[in-house]
Structures are given as C-alpha cells and as structure tokens.
PDB file of all heavy atoms in Angstrom:
ATOM      1  N   MET P   1      -3.667  -6.883   0.544  1.00 95.00           N
ATOM      2  CA  MET P   1      -3.288  -6.698  -0.872  1.00 95.00           C
ATOM      3  C   MET P   1      -4.496  -6.890  -1.815  1.00 95.00           C
ATOM      4  O   MET P   1      -4.627  -6.002  -2.720  1.00 95.00           O
ATOM      5  CB  MET P   1      -2.211  -7.716  -1.242  1.00 95.00           C
ATOM      6  CG  MET P   1      -1.691  -7.520  -2.638  1.00 95.00           C
ATOM      7  SD  MET P   1      -0.918  -5.901  -3.012  1.00 95.00           S
ATOM      8  CE  MET P   1       0.636  -6.053  -2.089  1.00 95.00           C
ATOM      9  N   GLU P   2      -5.272  -7.795  -1.705  1.00 93.00           N
ATOM     10  CA  GLU P   2      -6.350  -8.082  -2.616  1.00 93.00           C
ATOM     11  C   GLU P   2      -7.325  -6.908  -2.599  1.00 93.00           C
ATOM     12  O   GLU P   2      -7.759  -6.403  -3.661  1.00 93.00           O
ATOM     13  CB  GLU P   2      -7.068  -9.420  -2.316  1.00 93.00           C
ATOM     14  CG  GLU P   2      -8.153  -9.748  -3.341  1.00 93.00           C
ATOM     15  CD  GLU P   2      -8.803 -11.095  -3.096  1.00 93.00           C
ATOM     16  OE1 GLU P   2      -8.368 -11.813  -2.186  1.00 93.00           O
ATOM     17  OE2 GLU P   2      -9.728 -11.366  -3.835  1.00 93.00           O
ATOM     18  N   ARG P   3      -7.669  -6.438  -1.427  1.00 95.00           N
ATOM     19  CA  ARG P   3      -8.628  -5.261  -1.331  1.00 95.00           C
ATOM     20  C   ARG P   3      -8.011  -4.006  -1.937  1.00 95.00           C
ATOM     21  O   ARG P   3      -8.657  -3.302  -2.679  1.00 95.00           O
ATOM     22  CB  ARG P   3      -8.946  -4.972   0.131  1.00 95.00           C
ATOM     23  CG  ARG P   3      -9.835  -6.116   0.806  1.00 95.00           C
ATOM     24  CD  ARG P   3     -10.258  -5.649   2.170  1.00 95.00           C
ATOM     25  NE  ARG P   3      -9.236  -5.275   3.084  1.00 95.00           N
ATOM     26  CZ  ARG P   3      -9.188  -4.057   3.672  1.00 95.00           C
ATOM     27  NH1 ARG P   3     -10.121  -3.153   3.445  1.00 95.00           N
ATOM     28  NH2 ARG P   3      -8.212  -3.719   4.455  1.00 95.00           N
ATOM     29  N   PHE P   4      -6.673  -3.855  -1.737  1.00 96.00           N
ATOM     30  CA  PHE P   4      -5.988  -2.716  -2.259  1.00 96.00           C
ATOM     31  C   PHE P   4      -5.990  -2.754  -3.755  1.00 96.00           C
ATOM     32  O   PHE P   4      -6.268  -1.686  -4.404  1.00 96.00           O
ATOM     33  CB  PHE P   4      -4.558  -2.663  -1.701  1.00 96.00           C
ATOM     34  CG  PHE P   4      -3.798  -1.483  -2.186  1.00 96.00           C
ATOM     35  CD1 PHE P   4      -4.033  -0.215  -1.677  1.00 96.00           C
ATOM     36  CD2 PHE P   4      -2.852  -1.578  -3.200  1.00 96.00           C
ATOM     37  CE1 PHE P   4      -3.267   0.880  -2.047  1.00 96.00           C
ATOM     38  CE2 PHE P   4      -2.123  -0.578  -3.577  1.00 96.00           C
ATOM     39  CZ  PHE P   4      -2.306   0.742  -3.062  1.00 96.00           C
ATOM     40  N   LEU P   5      -5.729  -3.857  -4.312  1.00 94.00           N
ATOM     41  CA  LEU P   5      -5.598  -3.971  -5.807  1.00 94.00           C
ATOM     42  C   LEU P   5      -7.014  -3.793  -6.433  1.00 94.00           C
ATOM     43  O   LEU P   5      -7.067  -3.467  -7.607  1.00 94.00           O
ATOM     44  CB  LEU P   5      -5.052  -5.351  -6.204  1.00 94.00           C
ATOM     45  CG  LEU P   5      -3.559  -5.559  -5.863  1.00 94.00           C
ATOM     46  CD1 LEU P   5      -3.128  -6.950  -6.227  1.00 94.00           C
ATOM     47  CD2 LEU P   5      -2.666  -4.466  -6.454  1.00 94.00           C
ATOM     48  N   ASN P   6      -8.037  -4.039  -5.709  1.00 94.00           N
ATOM     49  CA  ASN P   6      -9.452  -3.831  -6.126  1.00 94.00           C
ATOM     50  C   ASN P   6      -9.923  -2.378  -5.990  1.00 94.00           C
ATOM     51  O   ASN P   6     -11.100  -2.136  -6.143  1.00 94.00           O
ATOM     52  CB  ASN P   6     -10.348  -4.791  -5.458  1.00 94.00           C
ATOM     53  CG  ASN P   6     -10.191  -6.252  -5.974  1.00 94.00           C
ATOM     54  OD1 ASN P   6      -9.893  -6.489  -7.138  1.00 94.00           O
ATOM     55  ND2 ASN P   6     -10.339  -7.172  -5.108  1.00 94.00           N
ATOM     56  N   GLY P   7      -9.006  -1.522  -5.512  1.00 94.00           N
ATOM     57  CA  GLY P   7      -9.319  -0.082  -5.385  1.00 94.00           C
ATOM     58  C   GLY P   7      -9.681   0.378  -4.052  1.00 94.00           C
ATOM     59  O   GLY P   7     -10.075   1.531  -3.893  1.00 94.00           O
ATOM     60  N   VAL P   8      -9.665  -0.516  -3.000  1.00 96.00           N
ATOM     61  CA  VAL P   8     -10.009  -0.055  -1.612  1.00 96.00           C
ATOM     62  C   VAL P   8      -8.853   0.789  -1.069  1.00 96.00           C
ATOM     63  O   VAL P   8      -7.720   0.378  -1.161  1.00 96.00           O
ATOM     64  CB  VAL P   8     -10.246  -1.289  -0.732  1.00 96.00           C
ATOM     65  CG1 VAL P   8     -10.515  -0.846   0.649  1.00 96.00           C
ATOM     66  CG2 VAL P   8     -11.437  -2.103  -1.249  1.00 96.00           C
ATOM     67  N   LYS P   9      -9.166   1.918  -0.439  1.00 97.00           N
ATOM     68  CA  LYS P   9      -8.146   2.706   0.196  1.00 97.00           C
ATOM     69  C   LYS P   9      -7.836   2.180   1.576  1.00 97.00           C
ATOM     70  O   LYS P   9      -8.824   1.779   2.304  1.00 97.00           O
ATOM     71  CB  LYS P   9      -8.654   4.155   0.311  1.00 97.00           C
ATOM     72  CG  LYS P   9      -8.927   4.863  -1.040  1.00 97.00           C
ATOM     73  CD  LYS P   9      -9.396   6.238  -0.815  1.00 97.00           C
ATOM     74  CE  LYS P   9      -9.718   6.969  -2.155  1.00 97.00           C
ATOM     75  NZ  LYS P   9     -10.195   8.327  -1.968  1.00 97.00           N
ATOM     76  N   LEU P  10      -6.605   2.107   1.899  1.00 97.00           N
ATOM     77  CA  LEU P  10      -6.168   1.523   3.176  1.00 97.00           C
ATOM     78  C   LEU P  10      -5.794   2.619   4.186  1.00 97.00           C
ATOM     79  O   LEU P  10      -5.231   3.650   3.797  1.00 97.00           O
ATOM     80  CB  LEU P  10      -4.996   0.607   3.079  1.00 97.00           C
ATOM     81  CG  LEU P  10      -5.235  -0.584   2.056  1.00 97.00           C
ATOM     82  CD1 LEU P  10      -3.932  -1.381   1.932  1.00 97.00           C
ATOM     83  CD2 LEU P  10      -6.366  -1.424   2.493  1.00 97.00           C
ATOM     84  N   GLU P  11      -6.202   2.489   5.427  1.00 97.00           N
ATOM     85  CA  GLU P  11      -5.755   3.357   6.472  1.00 97.00           C
ATOM     86  C   GLU P  11      -4.220   3.304   6.674  1.00 97.00           C
ATOM     87  O   GLU P  11      -3.540   2.310   6.523  1.00 97.00           O
ATOM     88  CB  GLU P  11      -6.465   2.988   7.868  1.00 97.00           C
ATOM     89  CG  GLU P  11      -7.920   3.073   7.816  1.00 97.00           C
ATOM     90  CD  GLU P  11      -8.503   4.532   7.774  1.00 97.00           C
ATOM     91  OE1 GLU P  11      -7.713   5.417   8.189  1.00 97.00           O
ATOM     92  OE2 GLU P  11      -9.623   4.649   7.427  1.00 97.00           O
ATOM     93  N   THR P  12      -3.623   4.481   6.885  1.00 97.00           N
ATOM     94  CA  THR P  12      -2.206   4.526   7.039  1.00 97.00           C
ATOM     95  C   THR P  12      -1.774   5.770   7.949  1.00 97.00           C
ATOM     96  O   THR P  12      -2.578   6.741   8.168  1.00 97.00           O
ATOM     97  CB  THR P  12      -1.508   4.713   5.703  1.00 97.00           C
ATOM     98  OG1 THR P  12      -0.048   4.739   5.846  1.00 97.00           O
ATOM     99  CG2 THR P  12      -1.897   6.024   5.030  1.00 97.00           C
ATOM    100  N   LYS P  13      -0.606   5.640   8.512  1.00 95.00           N
ATOM    101  CA  LYS P  13      -0.018   6.785   9.336  1.00 95.00           C
ATOM    102  C   LYS P  13       0.984   7.573   8.544  1.00 95.00           C
ATOM    103  O   LYS P  13       1.552   8.488   9.115  1.00 95.00           O
ATOM    104  CB  LYS P  13       0.543   6.202  10.572  1.00 95.00           C
ATOM    105  CG  LYS P  13      -0.484   5.537  11.608  1.00 95.00           C
ATOM    106  CD  LYS P  13       0.183   5.059  12.797  1.00 95.00           C
ATOM    107  CE  LYS P  13      -0.752   4.484  13.770  1.00 95.00           C
ATOM    108  NZ  LYS P  13      -0.132   3.982  15.056  1.00 95.00           N
ATOM    109  N   PHE P  14       1.228   7.124   7.329  1.00 97.00           N
ATOM    110  CA  PHE P  14       2.162   7.817   6.460  1.00 97.00           C
ATOM    111  C   PHE P  14       1.734   9.211   6.047  1.00 97.00           C
ATOM    112  O   PHE P  14       0.513   9.464   6.001  1.00 97.00           O
ATOM    113  CB  PHE P  14       2.527   6.962   5.205  1.00 97.00           C
ATOM    114  CG  PHE P  14       3.444   5.863   5.427  1.00 97.00           C
ATOM    115  CD1 PHE P  14       3.108   4.782   6.314  1.00 97.00           C
ATOM    116  CD2 PHE P  14       4.726   5.784   4.772  1.00 97.00           C
ATOM    117  CE1 PHE P  14       4.060   3.827   6.486  1.00 97.00           C
ATOM    118  CE2 PHE P  14       5.536   4.713   4.999  1.00 97.00           C
ATOM    119  CZ  PHE P  14       5.226   3.734   5.851  1.00 97.00           C
ATOM    120  N   LYS P  15       2.683  10.104   5.817  1.00 96.00           N
ATOM    121  CA  LYS P  15       2.405  11.455   5.383  1.00 96.00           C
ATOM    122  C   LYS P  15       1.946  11.464   3.918  1.00 96.00           C
ATOM    123  O   LYS P  15       2.154  10.510   3.168  1.00 96.00           O
ATOM    124  CB  LYS P  15       3.589  12.333   5.490  1.00 96.00           C
ATOM    125  CG  LYS P  15       4.062  12.564   6.908  1.00 96.00           C
ATOM    126  CD  LYS P  15       5.304  13.425   6.946  1.00 96.00           C
ATOM    127  CE  LYS P  15       5.843  13.725   8.383  1.00 96.00           C
ATOM    128  NZ  LYS P  15       7.018  14.501   8.356  1.00 96.00           N
ATOM    129  N   ASP P  16       1.196  12.499   3.489  1.00 97.00           N
ATOM    130  CA  ASP P  16       0.751  12.639   2.145  1.00 97.00           C
ATOM    131  C   ASP P  16       1.883  12.600   1.180  1.00 97.00           C
ATOM    132  O   ASP P  16       3.006  13.143   1.477  1.00 97.00           O
ATOM    133  CB  ASP P  16       0.028  13.947   1.932  1.00 97.00           C
ATOM    134  CG  ASP P  16      -1.387  13.968   2.617  1.00 97.00           C
ATOM    135  OD1 ASP P  16      -1.750  12.931   3.240  1.00 97.00           O
ATOM    136  OD2 ASP P  16      -2.111  14.986   2.451  1.00 97.00           O
ATOM    137  N   GLY P  17       1.701  11.922  -0.006  1.00 97.00           N
ATOM    138  CA  GLY P  17       2.779  11.841  -0.961  1.00 97.00           C
ATOM    139  C   GLY P  17       2.680  10.562  -1.777  1.00 97.00           C
ATOM    140  O   GLY P  17       1.686   9.824  -1.634  1.00 97.00           O
ATOM    141  N   ILE P  18       3.675  10.423  -2.691  1.00 97.00           N
ATOM    142  CA  ILE P  18       3.701   9.266  -3.489  1.00 97.00           C
ATOM    143  C   ILE P  18       4.818   8.223  -2.898  1.00 97.00           C
ATOM    144  O   ILE P  18       5.823   8.652  -2.503  1.00 97.00           O
ATOM    145  CB  ILE P  18       4.166   9.580  -4.938  1.00 97.00           C
ATOM    146  CG1 ILE P  18       3.179  10.535  -5.622  1.00 97.00           C
ATOM    147  CG2 ILE P  18       4.293   8.343  -5.797  1.00 97.00           C
ATOM    148  CD1 ILE P  18       1.770   9.974  -5.803  1.00 97.00           C
ATOM    149  N   TYR P  19       4.374   6.900  -2.879  1.00 97.00           N
ATOM    150  CA  TYR P  19       5.251   5.905  -2.326  1.00 97.00           C
ATOM    151  C   TYR P  19       5.411   4.795  -3.337  1.00 97.00           C
ATOM    152  O   TYR P  19       4.481   4.460  -4.123  1.00 97.00           O
ATOM    153  CB  TYR P  19       4.666   5.382  -0.975  1.00 97.00           C
ATOM    154  CG  TYR P  19       4.654   6.433   0.076  1.00 97.00           C
ATOM    155  CD1 TYR P  19       3.547   7.327   0.158  1.00 97.00           C
ATOM    156  CD2 TYR P  19       5.599   6.460   1.054  1.00 97.00           C
ATOM    157  CE1 TYR P  19       3.528   8.272   1.170  1.00 97.00           C
ATOM    158  CE2 TYR P  19       5.605   7.396   2.022  1.00 97.00           C
ATOM    159  CZ  TYR P  19       4.555   8.382   2.038  1.00 97.00           C
ATOM    160  OH  TYR P  19       4.411   9.302   3.111  1.00 97.00           O
ATOM    161  N   LYS P  20       6.585   4.106  -3.221  1.00 96.00           N
ATOM    162  CA  LYS P  20       6.819   2.879  -4.068  1.00 96.00           C
ATOM    163  C   LYS P  20       6.265   1.673  -3.272  1.00 96.00           C
ATOM    164  O   LYS P  20       6.535   1.538  -2.096  1.00 96.00           O
ATOM    165  CB  LYS P  20       8.289   2.734  -4.427  1.00 96.00           C
ATOM    166  CG  LYS P  20       9.237   2.735  -3.248  1.00 96.00           C
ATOM    167  CD  LYS P  20      10.734   2.659  -3.759  1.00 96.00           C
ATOM    168  CE  LYS P  20      11.737   2.782  -2.575  1.00 96.00           C
ATOM    169  NZ  LYS P  20      13.088   2.803  -3.067  1.00 96.00           N
ATOM    170  N   LEU P  21       5.492   0.864  -3.910  1.00 97.00           N
ATOM    171  CA  LEU P  21       4.808  -0.197  -3.212  1.00 97.00           C
ATOM    172  C   LEU P  21       5.497  -1.515  -3.375  1.00 97.00           C
ATOM    173  O   LEU P  21       5.921  -1.941  -4.496  1.00 97.00           O
ATOM    174  CB  LEU P  21       3.416  -0.260  -3.735  1.00 97.00           C
ATOM    175  CG  LEU P  21       2.540   0.964  -3.702  1.00 97.00           C
ATOM    176  CD1 LEU P  21       1.158   0.724  -4.362  1.00 97.00           C
ATOM    177  CD2 LEU P  21       2.341   1.425  -2.219  1.00 97.00           C
ATOM    178  N   TYR P  22       5.506  -2.328  -2.287  1.00 96.00           N
ATOM    179  CA  TYR P  22       6.029  -3.630  -2.304  1.00 96.00           C
ATOM    180  C   TYR P  22       5.029  -4.604  -1.627  1.00 96.00           C
ATOM    181  O   TYR P  22       4.294  -4.119  -0.678  1.00 96.00           O
ATOM    182  CB  TYR P  22       7.347  -3.753  -1.641  1.00 96.00           C
ATOM    183  CG  TYR P  22       8.467  -3.009  -2.436  1.00 96.00           C
ATOM    184  CD1 TYR P  22       8.591  -1.701  -2.397  1.00 96.00           C
ATOM    185  CD2 TYR P  22       9.417  -3.782  -3.100  1.00 96.00           C
ATOM    186  CE1 TYR P  22       9.588  -1.066  -3.127  1.00 96.00           C
ATOM    187  CE2 TYR P  22      10.451  -3.166  -3.814  1.00 96.00           C
ATOM    188  CZ  TYR P  22      10.460  -1.785  -3.862  1.00 96.00           C
ATOM    189  OH  TYR P  22      11.527  -1.183  -4.483  1.00 96.00           O
ATOM    190  N   ASN P  23       5.062  -5.863  -2.015  1.00 95.00           N
ATOM    191  CA  ASN P  23       4.232  -6.871  -1.247  1.00 95.00           C
ATOM    192  C   ASN P  23       5.111  -7.487  -0.057  1.00 95.00           C
ATOM    193  O   ASN P  23       6.310  -7.050   0.095  1.00 95.00           O
ATOM    194  CB  ASN P  23       3.700  -7.980  -2.226  1.00 95.00           C
ATOM    195  CG  ASN P  23       4.752  -8.800  -2.834  1.00 95.00           C
ATOM    196  OD1 ASN P  23       5.968  -8.832  -2.444  1.00 95.00           O
ATOM    197  ND2 ASN P  23       4.419  -9.465  -3.890  1.00 95.00           N
ATOM    198  N   GLU P  24       4.612  -8.381   0.580  1.00 94.00           N
ATOM    199  CA  GLU P  24       5.397  -8.970   1.704  1.00 94.00           C
ATOM    200  C   GLU P  24       6.621  -9.703   1.292  1.00 94.00           C
ATOM    201  O   GLU P  24       7.540  -9.938   2.059  1.00 94.00           O
ATOM    202  CB  GLU P  24       4.488  -9.928   2.448  1.00 94.00           C
ATOM    203  CG  GLU P  24       3.479  -9.251   3.441  1.00 94.00           C
ATOM    204  CD  GLU P  24       2.764 -10.130   4.336  1.00 94.00           C
ATOM    205  OE1 GLU P  24       2.949 -11.320   4.155  1.00 94.00           O
ATOM    206  OE2 GLU P  24       2.021  -9.662   5.234  1.00 94.00           O
ATOM    207  N   ASN P  25       6.642 -10.123  -0.025  1.00 94.00           N
ATOM    208  CA  ASN P  25       7.799 -10.840  -0.551  1.00 94.00           C
ATOM    209  C   ASN P  25       8.804  -9.886  -1.087  1.00 94.00           C
ATOM    210  O   ASN P  25       9.719 -10.383  -1.827  1.00 94.00           O
ATOM    211  CB  ASN P  25       7.309 -11.871  -1.580  1.00 94.00           C
ATOM    212  CG  ASN P  25       6.377 -12.927  -0.991  1.00 94.00           C
ATOM    213  OD1 ASN P  25       6.560 -13.367   0.111  1.00 94.00           O
ATOM    214  ND2 ASN P  25       5.427 -13.242  -1.787  1.00 94.00           N
ATOM    215  N   ASN P  26       8.662  -8.642  -0.788  1.00 93.00           N
ATOM    216  CA  ASN P  26       9.573  -7.619  -1.272  1.00 93.00           C
ATOM    217  C   ASN P  26       9.626  -7.451  -2.763  1.00 93.00           C
ATOM    218  O   ASN P  26      10.625  -7.168  -3.431  1.00 93.00           O
ATOM    219  CB  ASN P  26      11.054  -7.849  -0.827  1.00 93.00           C
ATOM    220  CG  ASN P  26      11.823  -6.613  -0.669  1.00 93.00           C
ATOM    221  OD1 ASN P  26      11.382  -5.493  -0.356  1.00 93.00           O
ATOM    222  ND2 ASN P  26      13.131  -6.661  -1.007  1.00 93.00           N
ATOM    223  N   LEU P  27       8.467  -7.664  -3.391  1.00 93.00           N
ATOM    224  CA  LEU P  27       8.344  -7.558  -4.881  1.00 93.00           C
ATOM    225  C   LEU P  27       7.731  -6.228  -5.169  1.00 93.00           C
ATOM    226  O   LEU P  27       6.650  -5.902  -4.672  1.00 93.00           O
ATOM    227  CB  LEU P  27       7.434  -8.661  -5.458  1.00 93.00           C
ATOM    228  CG  LEU P  27       7.195  -8.625  -6.906  1.00 93.00           C
ATOM    229  CD1 LEU P  27       8.484  -8.936  -7.712  1.00 93.00           C
ATOM    230  CD2 LEU P  27       6.091  -9.694  -7.272  1.00 93.00           C
TER     231      LEU P  27
END
C-alpha cells in the first residue's frame, strides 16, 4: 500500500481497465 500510494506501479494479473481499490480492511 505505501509504495502504491507513493506512485509505484504494482505487478498484477488483472486485465486492462479501471478498478475500485480497497485496503486489507475493506476500506
């Protein structure tokens, strides 16, 4: 999370598109 919020791109297997984001606490 911290790296992501600082602008780091994360590796993923998801398809291209827009996603709604949640943290581990479902926020």
Side-chain angles (χ1 to χ4, degrees):
M1 182 61 74
E2 185 175 352
R3 293 191 303 124
F4 180 76
L5 294 179
N6 286 328
V8 176
K9 297 179 181 180
L10 305 177
E11 297 288 338
T12 183
K13 293 181 180 180
F14 279 64
K15 295 179 180 179
D16 287 1
I18 301 294
Y19 294 83
K20 54 185 177 183
L21 304 177
Y22 290 77
N23 64 16
E24 282 189 355
N25 299 321
N26 205 35
L27 178 68

